[in-house]
Amino acid sequence: MVLTALLFTLLCIIVITPIGIFVPLGRITHAIERFWGHTLLFLAGVEAEISGIENIRNDRPCIFVSNHQSLFDIPLMMAYSPKQLRMIFKKELYYIPFFGFCLWVLRFIGIDRGNRDRAISSLKHAAKRIHDGTNIVIYADGTRSLTGELQPFKRGAFVLAIDAQVDIVPVTISGTINIMHKYKSLFDVTFGRKVRLIFGKPISTEGMKPEHKEDLLSQVRAEVESNFDAVKELSRVDDPELIERIKNK
């Protein structure tokens, strides 16, 4: 299954890159990205339940702020978001042959985390792109959860949203941790899991200033946490070896 998924991903990259040169954010690239996400979920036998899509407005760009459990969060969001999404990533990925070129062509946003001034400049550029219509998803806890529980949210997403003056859509993911845990290899995927993806109600940043970032973080965190409490059973790690390893961390 994993080898099939990797080959399919490579095929999608080969197909989408030349299209992206001319239409990086068009309907065709969006359709390919959604098809890629749905196919990976299908290959893993994922049973996904989605709710809250009606909360997403089509007339304005937004930032989706989500918790992070697994690499499968990415195809899940790509498959079911009604808006075409881009992500922020460390710029070193640009140097991966062909893959980095594809990221650049499709206008994913690379950040130089090792240089504060360049990182700030990159974020300001990102804010302008979001304000002008690019929708992005940010995993606010920054790294995948080991236990399935929510982690502290970092402030960057909220500073960016205020700078761009766009809505934040709180997103709750539960269950993907048991498809591919951070401690397992790329080739160790658990088949047939249930997951939940919940889009919360948009939170406006209109009129907010940088000093309001903590209040904004608290609002978004509360929405994600409220939805997570209803579905967190899907995130309970049930692999005995993983449980023991997490305990001994």
Side-chain angles (χ1 to χ4, degrees), residues 153-155 158 168 170 203 208 212-226:
F153 282 5
K154 298 183 182 300
R155 297 176 179 83
F158 308 99
I168 285 181
I203 296 174
M208 285 190 178
H212 298 134
K213 63 180 181 295
E214 297 293 344
D215 289 339
L216 181 60
L217 186 156
S218 296
Q219 289 181 59
V220 174
R221 169 82 187 198
E223 177 76 8
V224 172
E225 190 168 16
S226 174

Side-chain angles (χ1 to χ4, degrees), residues 57 59-63 123-124 126-135 156-169 203-213 216:
R57 298 184 57 170
D59 60 342
R60 61 177 66 182
C62 64
I63 296 177
L123 287 173
K124 288 187 178 297
K128 183 180 186 308
R129 282 183 51 188
I130 296 163
H131 182 78
D132 291 345
T134 301
N135 304 288
F158 308 99
V159 173
L160 186 58
I162 291 172
D163 198 12
Q165 287 290 287
V166 297
D167 293 351
I168 285 181
V169 176
I203 296 174
S204 174
T205 64
E206 186 176 356
M208 285 190 178
K209 297 181 178 179
E211 55 265 30
H212 298 134
K213 63 180 181 295
L216 181 60

Side-chain angles (χ1 to χ4, degrees), residues 48-51 76 172-175 194-198 231 234:
E49 185 177 342
I50 317 300
S51 56
L76 181 66
T172 302
I173 293 174
S174 184
K194 293 182 179 180
V195 302
R196 285 292 308 272
L197 174 63
I198 304 172
V231 296
L234 293 174

Side-chain angles (χ1 to χ4, degrees), residues 5-162:
L6 290 173
L7 290 173
F8 176 72
T9 298
L10 178 60
L11 176 62
C12 286
I13 291 174
I14 292 172
V15 171
I16 202 172
T17 300
I19 297 172
I21 292 173
F22 301 100
V23 194
L25 294 170
R27 292 182 179 179
I28 298 176
T29 52
H30 190 197
I32 294 172
E33 290 157 6
R34 294 195 72 176
F35 180 59
W36 171 78
H38 279 291
T39 301
L40 262 60
L41 297 174
F42 171 77
L43 290 173
V46 175
E47 182 182 333
E49 185 177 342
I50 317 300
S51 56
I53 290 179
E54 69 279 1
N55 291 325
I56 301 171
R57 298 184 57 170
N58 292 321
D59 60 342
R60 61 177 66 182
C62 64
I63 296 177
F64 294 86
V65 173
S66 174
N67 63 307
H68 197 14
Q69 292 198 339
S70 166
L71 293 178
F72 263 81
D73 296 345
I74 298 171
L76 181 66
M77 283 293 294
M78 288 288 190
Y80 289 105
S81 169
K83 289 179 176 286
Q84 189 170 21
L85 298 178
R86 291 295 176 259
M87 288 177 288
I88 291 175
F89 63 93
K90 55 184 180 181
K91 75 173 184 64
E92 287 78 8
L93 294 181
Y94 276 140
Y95 304 129
I96 299 176
F98 191 51
F99 178 69
F101 178 69
C102 180
L103 291 175
W104 178 77
V105 163
L106 295 176
R107 298 188 182 178
F108 284 77
I109 302 169
I111 300 293
D112 186 350
R113 295 179 179 177
N115 185 302
R116 186 175 182 275
D117 290 339
R118 289 180 183 173
I120 291 172
S121 176
S122 297
L123 287 173
K124 288 187 178 297
H125 176 65
K128 183 180 186 308
R129 282 183 51 188
I130 296 163
H131 182 78
D132 291 345
T134 301
N135 304 288
I136 69 167
V137 55
I138 297 179
Y139 298 103
D141 32 17
T143 187
R144 289 165 284 169
S145 173
L146 293 178
T147 64
E149 295 295 328
L150 295 183
Q151 303 174 97
F153 282 5
K154 298 183 182 300
R155 297 176 179 83
F158 308 99
V159 173
L160 186 58
I162 291 172

